[in-house]
Amino acid sequence: MFAFGLIIALGCVLWPESNSSAGTQPAPSPAATGREPIRPLPLKMELDARKVALGKALFHEPKLSRDNTISCASCHDLSRGGTDRRQYSLGLNNAEGSINAPTVFNSGFNFRQFWDGRAATLEDQIDGPVQHPAEMGATWADVVAKLRDTPQYAAAFKETYPDGVQSKNVKDAIAHFERSLITPNARFDQFLRGEQTALNSEEREGYRKFKQYGCVSCHQGVNIGGNMFETLGAMADYFAERGNVTKSDYGRFNVTGKEEDRFAFKVPSLRNVAVTAPYFHDGSAQTLEEAVAVMGKYQLGRPLSPEDIDHIAKFLRTLTGQYEGKPLQEVAR
Amino acid sequence: MKLPRILLLVCAALVAVVILFYAKSSHINTAEHERFTTQLSRLNQLDATLSADLLKVRFHLLENYDTFPQQIEEVKRILGDLAQAPSFVPPAARESIRAKVDELVRLFELKAELLEDFKSQNAVLNNSVRYFPVVAAEVLSTARDHELEVHAGALARQVLTYSLNSNDELVPGIRASLARIAAAKESDGAKGLPLASLMAHADSILRRQPKVDDLARQLTSVPTGQRAEELHRLYETQFALAMQNANHQRQVLNGLCLLLVIGIAATIFALDKANRNLDRRVRERTGDLSRANEGLRVEIAERRRAEEALRTKQAQMEALQDASPLGMFFSAADGTCLYTNRTFERITGASQEQIRGSAWRNVIHPDDRARVIDEWAQATAAGRNYETILRYLRPDQSVVWASVKAAVVKQDGVVTGYVGTADDITERRLAEEKLEAAHRQLVDASRRAGMAEVATGVLHNVGNVLNSVNVSASVIAEGAKKSKVSGLTKATALLQEHAGDMGAFLANDPKGRKLPGYLQQLSEHLEEEQAAILKEVAVLAKNIDHIKDIVSMQQSYAKVSGLVEVLPVTELVEDALRMNATALSRHDVQVTREYGDIPPLPMDKHKVLQILVNLIRNAKHACDDAGRSDKQLIVRVAKNGNGCVKIAVSDNGVGIPPENLIRIFSHGFTTRKDGHGFGLHSGALAAKEMGGSLSVHSDGPGLGATFTLELPITPQAQN
């Protein structure tokens, strides 16, 4: 018995290649084969429900700010299209920031975070507002201590993460929640999925012009933007005409230091654009029409006709999706 | 066992060598290898896809950039993975692999950077390319100046052509067209805005397309593929080396293993041999053991049986003790009662509690109590057994007689206590009383029986004598009846008549004359008569004497002491014969005497006489009953060899059947109708009394019998 076992054991040692297993090939990334430059949002995200729930609580948790007054939701109000609908957000002591808060909806589909794309992931992004002196002004040590002192968080973290309340877990949970903030089933997505009647003729005309006028060169992909950087004022000098240039206006340059990146910003997603006014990094455009006009002027290099603007704006309004089955609230006009 | 041990040691050494060798050798982890090569090929695949997507985007086959961030992310992840070379790669090679991966990381970072630039530039170019035909159409449709229209049309054609193939040769022409339009534009203010846009986008295309193309070239020329290929080759070399190494090691291990297998085989054979040997011994031993076991089992079974028996016995003992008719008790050495069985309780009518300890005293009848307590105290003090009969007084006031016995229990010579029994003898006592009464009755009865026996004997003997007396009396009576006395009376009366003339009468009278003669004759007769009577009276007197003797003998029986006289035996025999003479003579029994020379013996005359009379009479009867004519009776007197005198009375009568020989001396045994069954019985008893014996011999019925009385020459002391 012993001898037999030994021979078997030696056999396994000496002829290991006989024991090899076929490695599973990772599935190839889905090829973007559609002829349309825009793709519909997925209807559902597969996420850890416990992390999403915890992230949701944390997202609305003022303890993440130094003086317990500001939560993520303060500036990314889910009932307001994931924004505060202000030009610049208010931080601690109502200190006004220097840049417009982008919507948190569908932020998981952005290839980078922030206007200047300085954060590669949602998790990294959270460090920014939490620690920014003018935003939530907190330190992770404080935040973690406060959360640990809160029994429900201590328990919920213990349940979800083996190491309990940790800054990385806070970020992970919030990022999970943010990835759950998708707004599928926009009328335009229905149109993309083959329902021609989902858009009326004006809207379809708007989409045609959106493509013809080159808007789609930057605002493409599943998030209709959010996957590249582009200089604001490609065909005309936006900042020269606006004036009062601040550091925030340098955009991507603040990250790379490259001169060609000055005034370059992450192309914002146009999803739910109708409910996320004001527009641009400087919150300068109050309406869609205004924004479309600015884009025509500086990115296309010539003012668009009111008809074009109207059509395009009408198309843009078809991009408003549903969160948890309900259409996002549109800004009153 | 020596050989296997050496083999085992060799095997152990071999195993140790194999393990050491194996530990020293490098292991090819196939999973690691799999992972590394998979990631490498995935990297190449991604790189290729990235380049392909890039070209698709450039030529508008792909119109979104969603794939690029995903690809870049995945490449980063894979490079992070590849930084960890499989563990079988030697450290130096690991370093070069790492360096190669780092280089790839840098190259992909560059690629990502170029890609972002490409995306931005391409977007703007695309923007212009998309919008240029729109604005061109607008310009052309609204152109009023033919020259401008021609130039604009030329520009549109040139720009669109250029946008399709990036032919640098077209650039001067475009520039020329642009210059011409710029000149013409001065004269056409109305078309300023669309025309300016047309020119701006043409210029944009002209400027950005080379840039985009350059960026695409740069992107595709980033040597990620080469580096990846180098990395692959580097790794393959290492893998091949490792495989070669492993092959060598495997060969060596194979050799070692072969040795090991041989060793193991040898060990197995040796072990098998040893095992068989062991097996045999085990079998033997098992046999022994099973036998022993069997024995043990039997023993156990027996023991169990014994224990069961013991238990049963104990139970039986207890039951027995309880069921025992004997009351039982155990006492301590000091006499306090420790245990009593139920019978004891039953006997005394008291419960254990009323008996144990010193309470037992109270159950004893007050009349016996003090005595028993005192005696028991003495017995226990001395360590003696104790035995008494006492009475218990039961609670119901009934009295129980008990025989109590207590025996000392000694252990190693020390009195440890007493075991006692109490026997309820109340009934026995009653029985004894009854028995005593019965005994008394029996004694009385036997006394009466004895008296009867004696009386019978006496009467028998007296009767025998009375016969003779009767005969004598008859003889006398007859003699008296036939007496001539009446003649005398007549003579006297005659004389009385003739008292006066006495003489005359005597002389004259014929009667008177005959009278003197008559008187003579008469007196003679009377004398004769007198003699006969006297003779008969003498016999009578003798017989009456005998009766007197019998009676006095009977009295001596009663006193258990006989009168012992020294007498000649033959004389006694003659007496006996004489006492039966009449009967013998009457029945014509021929008596033969064969007397030896016997000195006088001390003896109880009457006893002997009585025996002999009986024997002679019996003999006469036997002869009578036989009905034969030659009735013979032989009396022999002789000395026996053993210091005895033998008196044998033989007859030729009916004889005795053998079955009667043994019972012939029993009391009440008789064969005669008028017999008492006493004579021989009393004779045997009397012979015994005198230290002698009475025996019988007969050859059978009709052959006669001989009764022999033996008497000791020196008499025994009589009790």
Side-chain angles (χ1 to χ4, degrees):
Chain A
M1 206 54 216
F2 165 75
F4 186 64
L6 190 70
I7 287 163
I8 293 285
L10 286 168
C12 290
V13 166
L14 295 172
W15 291 277
E17 54 270 44
S18 67
N19 204 23
S20 65
S21 60
T24 46
Q25 290 281 341
S29 60
T33 50
R35 288 303 295 163
E36 292 298 333
I38 300 172
R39 294 183 298 141
L41 280 171
L43 296 170
K44 220 170 130 187
M45 295 294 281
E46 292 300 332
L47 294 165
D48 185 330
R50 285 184 306 177
K51 291 182 177 180
V52 170
L54 180 57
K56 185 174 184 178
L58 290 165
F59 189 82
H60 294 85
E61 183 50 69
K63 283 177 181 165
L64 263 60
S65 64
R66 191 176 66 207
D67 60 359
N68 307 326
T69 55
I70 299 169
S71 70
C72 305
S74 300
C75 302
H76 301 284
D77 188 341
L78 300 185
S79 66
R80 291 163 165 258
T83 69
D84 54 4
R85 290 181 181 168
R86 290 178 56 86
Q87 184 182 16
Y88 301 127
S89 298
L90 294 177
L92 290 172
N93 308 314
N94 290 329
E96 197 167 63
S98 56
I99 203 157
N100 179 260
T103 180
V104 73
F105 281 114
N106 306 310
S107 55
F109 294 106
N110 290 337
F111 85 132
R112 300 284 175 91
Q113 302 301 331
F114 297 120
W115 283 102
D116 55 13
R118 64 180 183 271
T121 62
L122 283 170
E123 287 84 347
D124 291 350
Q125 176 272 335
I126 296 164
D127 277 332
V130 170
Q131 294 178 315
H132 195 289
E135 293 182 31
M136 297 163 95
T139 64
W140 277 117
D142 281 353
V143 170
V144 166
K146 280 192 270 183
L147 292 178
R148 279 179 185 160
D149 287 348
T150 314
Q152 59 262 44
Y153 280 117
F157 270 94
K158 204 80 208 163
E159 217 173 273
T160 314
Y161 299 96
D163 50 356
V165 183
Q166 304 286 344
S167 60
K168 69 177 170 66
N169 295 341
V170 174
K171 290 190 244 179
D172 184 69
I174 293 173
H176 264 80
F177 174 62
E178 288 173 338
R179 284 192 186 97
S180 78
L181 297 173
I182 60 167
T183 60
N185 230 14
R187 283 201 288 122
F188 182 64
D189 279 1
Q190 294 170 20
F191 172 78
L192 287 178
R193 287 197 166 98
E195 286 184 49
Q196 289 294 315
T197 54
L199 301 189
N200 62 31
S201 57
E202 283 184 316
E203 289 158 349
R204 283 203 294 273
E205 179 61 13
Y207 178 45
R208 195 186 65 77
K209 285 180 176 168
F210 185 80
K211 289 195 281 189
Q212 201 171 37
Y213 293 178
C215 312
V216 84
S217 299
C218 290
H219 296 285
Q220 32 65 43
V222 70
N223 219 13
I224 320 174
N227 60 5
M228 62 175 286
F229 297 109
E230 192 52 82
T231 308
L232 178 56
M235 298 300 288
D237 196 338
Y238 172 81
F239 293 101
E241 286 184 31
R242 195 203 71 186
N244 193 22
V245 174
T246 64
K247 189 174 180 246
S248 295
D249 293 329
Y250 293 161
R252 183 78 183 146
F253 173 82
N254 291 329
V255 180
T256 64
K258 289 199 282 191
E259 197 51 45
E260 65 256 38
D261 287 335
R262 197 182 291 271
F263 308 121
F265 296 88
K266 179 184 72 183
V267 175
S269 164
L270 293 183
R271 290 201 173 271
N272 307 309
V273 71
V275 300
T276 60
Y279 305 107
F280 307 128
H281 75 283
D282 55 6
S284 56
Q286 296 302 315
T287 65
L288 270 180
E289 286 75 8
E290 239 184 294
V292 172
V294 168
M295 282 288 105
K297 188 174 178 186
Y298 296 103
Q299 299 306 97
L300 194 59
R302 65 170 288 192
L304 295 171
S305 70
E307 194 193 22
D308 288 342
I309 290 169
D310 184 53
H311 284 152
I312 291 172
K314 278 182 169 132
F315 157 67
L316 292 177
R317 288 192 175 95
T318 70
L319 299 178
T320 302
Q322 298 173 350
Y323 175 58
E324 293 178 335
K326 288 179 203 159
L328 299 187
Q329 196 103 44
E330 212 163 309
V331 186
R333 273 186 290 177
Chain B
M1 286 309 288
K2 238 175 188 174
L3 189 63
R5 191 170 296 166
I6 290 164
L7 272 167
L8 277 171
L9 280 169
V10 170
C11 283
L14 270 170
V15 169
V17 168
V18 167
I19 289 167
L20 276 171
F21 193 81
Y22 180 68
K24 269 186 73 182
S25 66
S26 55
H27 304 246
I28 296 174
N29 186 326
T30 50
E32 276 188 309
H33 172 68
E34 196 77 17
R35 172 187 65 82
F36 201 81
T37 50
T38 304
Q39 298 289 48
L40 260 178
S41 66
R42 177 75 187 136
L43 183 70
N44 278 325
Q45 197 187 343
L46 274 172
D47 197 21
T49 310
L50 191 74
S51 299
D53 284 353
L54 197 72
L55 292 173
K56 278 185 194 169
V57 166
R58 174 67 190 87
F59 295 105
H60 312 289
L61 293 168
L62 182 62
E63 292 189 287
N64 71 68
Y65 303 130
D66 283 349
T67 55
F68 295 120
Q70 293 166 8
Q71 286 159 356
I72 293 294
E73 278 306 306
E74 196 176 347
V75 164
K76 275 186 188 168
R77 197 174 51 71
I78 287 169
L79 286 173
D81 242 29
L82 289 174
Q84 292 297 318
S87 53
F88 59 82
V89 176
R94 290 168 70 86
E95 276 310 303
S96 43
I97 284 173
R98 174 126 212 174
K100 204 56 87 181
V101 171
D102 285 348
E103 205 179 328
L104 272 168
V105 169
R106 279 194 302 278
L107 288 175
F108 273 104
E109 275 170 1
L110 174 66
K111 216 166 182 173
E113 219 171 289
L114 288 170
L115 187 64
E116 286 309 318
D117 216 356
F118 171 83
K119 273 152 69 181
S120 299
Q121 296 295 337
N122 189 56
V124 179
L125 171 64
N126 228 356
N127 188 29
S128 297
V129 168
R130 280 174 179 276
Y131 189 60
F132 185 78
V134 178
V135 76
E138 188 187 342
V139 167
L140 287 174
S141 64
T142 55
R144 279 170 290 166
D145 186 315
H146 180 67
E147 195 190 358
L148 197 65
E149 194 184 329
V150 169
H151 292 320
L155 180 69
R157 277 197 304 277
Q158 287 167 327
V159 168
L160 289 172
T161 309
Y162 179 70
S163 76
L164 284 174
N165 61 16
S166 295
N167 191 344
D168 288 345
E169 288 169 15
L170 293 171
V171 176
I174 295 167
R175 293 276 173 219
S177 294
L178 278 173
R180 276 193 288 272
I181 291 167
K185 189 185 155 197
E186 302 302 312
S187 60
D188 194 333
K191 301 229 173 94
L193 220 59
L195 203 57
S197 187
L198 180 73
M199 289 170 73
H201 283 289
D203 182 61
S204 171
I205 290 168
L206 216 50
R207 279 188 293 112
R208 292 186 194 263
Q209 185 151 308
K211 222 178 215 176
V212 169
D213 285 341
D214 186 46
L215 281 168
R217 246 194 317 280
Q218 279 186 53
L219 271 166
T220 46
S221 63
V222 171
T224 48
Q226 281 150 274
R227 292 297 170 275
E229 186 54 37
E230 281 166 23
L231 176 62
H232 197 233
R233 276 204 301 274
L234 189 58
Y235 174 72
E236 282 301 325
T237 310
Q238 290 304 319
F239 182 69
L241 267 172
M243 285 299 285
Q244 207 177 342
N245 243 337
N247 262 329
H248 281 129
Q249 286 158 355
R250 189 167 60 190
Q251 278 162 11
V252 174
L253 273 172
N254 278 347
L256 284 171
C257 281
L258 195 64
L259 281 174
L260 195 58
V261 167
I262 290 165
I264 287 163
T267 310
I268 287 167
F269 286 129
L271 278 173
D272 189 47
K273 204 174 142 198
N275 198 37
R276 261 178 293 165
N277 193 24
L278 190 66
D279 227 33
R280 184 174 51 75
R281 284 195 291 165
V282 165
R283 266 202 307 278
E284 288 170 7
R285 185 79 187 112
T286 305
D288 287 351
L289 282 174
S290 66
R291 273 192 294 282
N293 197 38
E294 189 54 40
L296 199 63
R297 215 167 53 222
V298 168
E299 198 177 308
I300 286 166
E302 273 172 11
R303 188 173 300 168
R304 190 175 300 137
R305 269 200 297 281
E307 280 170 0
E308 264 168 35
L310 190 64
R311 267 202 300 281
T312 309
K313 250 184 204 136
Q314 275 176 349
Q316 284 173 348
M317 276 303 290
E318 276 170 32
L320 207 59
Q321 280 179 7
D322 288 342
S324 166
L326 285 180
M328 293 183 183
F329 62 88
F330 302 144
S331 286
D334 63 358
T336 53
C337 179
L338 302 173
Y339 167 86
T340 53
N341 70 346
R342 282 197 204 127
T343 312
F344 198 94
E345 296 173 46
R346 213 156 48 230
I347 291 169
T348 57
S351 66
Q352 285 194 349
E353 289 70 32
Q354 292 169 304
I355 300 166
R356 290 194 179 170
S358 300
W360 57 270
R361 299 164 192 219
N362 302 326
V363 299
I364 297 173
H365 195 281
D367 293 349
D368 291 342
R369 195 178 291 157
R371 171 184 66 85
V372 171
I373 290 169
D374 187 44
E375 286 172 358
W376 180 235
Q378 285 177 17
T380 51
R384 276 190 281 106
N385 288 350
Y386 177 61
E387 196 175 327
T388 189
I389 289 175
L390 50 72
R391 282 165 293 175
Y392 292 115
L393 184 60
R394 282 178 163 160
D396 62 3
Q397 299 304 314
S398 60
V399 175
V400 180
W401 282 90
S403 164
V404 175
K405 293 177 183 173
V408 170
V409 179
K410 277 186 180 175
Q411 278 178 5
D412 304 327
V414 179
V415 176
T416 55
Y418 285 85
V419 178
T421 59
D423 190 4
D424 183 352
I425 57 169
T426 311
E427 278 185 28
R428 194 172 5 143
R429 278 187 78 88
L430 286 172
E432 271 175 6
E433 278 168 17
K434 272 186 195 165
L435 194 65
E436 215 171 318
H439 188 64
R440 257 198 311 278
Q441 283 176 352
L442 197 64
V443 168
D444 284 350
S446 61
R447 189 173 293 149
R448 275 196 290 277
M451 279 162 69
E453 191 178 316
V454 169
T456 309
V458 170
L459 287 172
H460 177 80
N461 295 332
V462 169
N464 281 347
V465 180
L466 277 175
N467 249 346
S468 305
V469 169
N470 211 22
V471 169
S472 300
S474 303
V475 169
I476 293 165
E478 224 171 297
K481 212 190 278 172
K482 291 177 192 163
S483 181
K484 307 292 183 191
V485 176
S486 56
L488 188 59
T489 310
K490 279 175 195 169
T492 13
L494 210 56
L495 285 169
Q496 207 82 30
E497 223 181 279
H498 298 288
D501 63 13
M502 199 53 89
F505 179 66
L506 283 173
N508 311 358
D509 197 275
K511 281 187 186 178
R513 239 189 350 219
K514 282 184 189 171
L515 199 53
Y518 178 74
L519 282 175
Q520 177 70 38
Q521 277 183 318
L522 189 64
S523 73
E524 275 173 21
H525 273 286
L526 282 175
E527 266 175 30
E528 263 176 50
E529 266 181 37
Q530 187 188 29
I533 286 168
L534 280 174
K535 187 188 165 198
E536 212 51 52
V537 165
V539 170
L540 189 62
K542 197 170 184 180
N543 278 332
I544 288 167
D545 270 356
H546 188 60
I547 289 168
K548 255 168 71 185
D549 286 349
I550 287 167
V551 170
S552 64
M553 186 175 73
Q554 205 55 56
Q555 282 167 342
S556 76
Y557 270 147
K559 288 179 194 153
V560 204
S561 62
L563 175 66
V564 177
E565 297 163 89
V566 177
L567 292 168
V569 179
T570 47
E571 198 174 307
L572 219 56
V573 173
E574 281 305 311
D575 273 354
L577 281 171
R578 198 166 34 254
M579 284 165 79
N580 286 299
T582 323
L584 287 171
S585 55
R586 194 163 57 230
H587 292 285
D588 295 326
V589 177
Q590 190 71 44
V591 177
T592 311
R593 295 174 176 79
E594 294 175 7
Y595 297 157
D597 186 18
I598 301 298
L601 289 175
M603 63 179 83
D604 190 325
K605 179 189 164 190
H606 293 286
K607 279 181 184 170
V608 175
L609 195 61
Q610 191 190 324
I611 293 166
L612 290 177
V613 167
N614 269 311
L615 292 181
I616 288 159
R617 282 175 50 78
N618 283 347
K620 182 210 79 178
H621 281 299
C623 292
D624 258 1
D625 291 349
R628 55 193 299 165
S629 54
D630 58 330
K631 296 164 188 171
Q632 280 196 359
L633 189 147
I634 303 161
V635 181
R636 293 189 194 87
V637 179
K639 253 194 208 168
N640 199 352
N642 50 7
C644 286
V645 170
K646 193 166 76 178
I647 304 162
V649 178
S650 304
D651 62 73
N652 56 352
V654 288
I656 305 163
E659 66 269 21
N660 288 343
L661 284 174
I662 40 172
R663 343 185 261 150
I664 202 154
F665 297 111
S666 305
H667 182 220
F669 176 83
T670 183
T671 51
R672 290 206 309 268
K673 283 175 191 167
D674 56 345
H676 300 101
F678 178 78
L680 283 175
H681 175 64
S682 63
L685 285 175
K688 242 179 189 168
E689 254 178 330
M690 291 182 291
S693 67
L694 181 62
S695 57
V696 64
H697 172 78
S698 171
D699 291 330
L703 296 174
T706 302
F707 285 84
T708 308
L709 172 67
E710 283 185 55
L711 292 169
I713 292 171
T714 45
Q716 292 187 338
Q718 290 189 2
N719 292 328

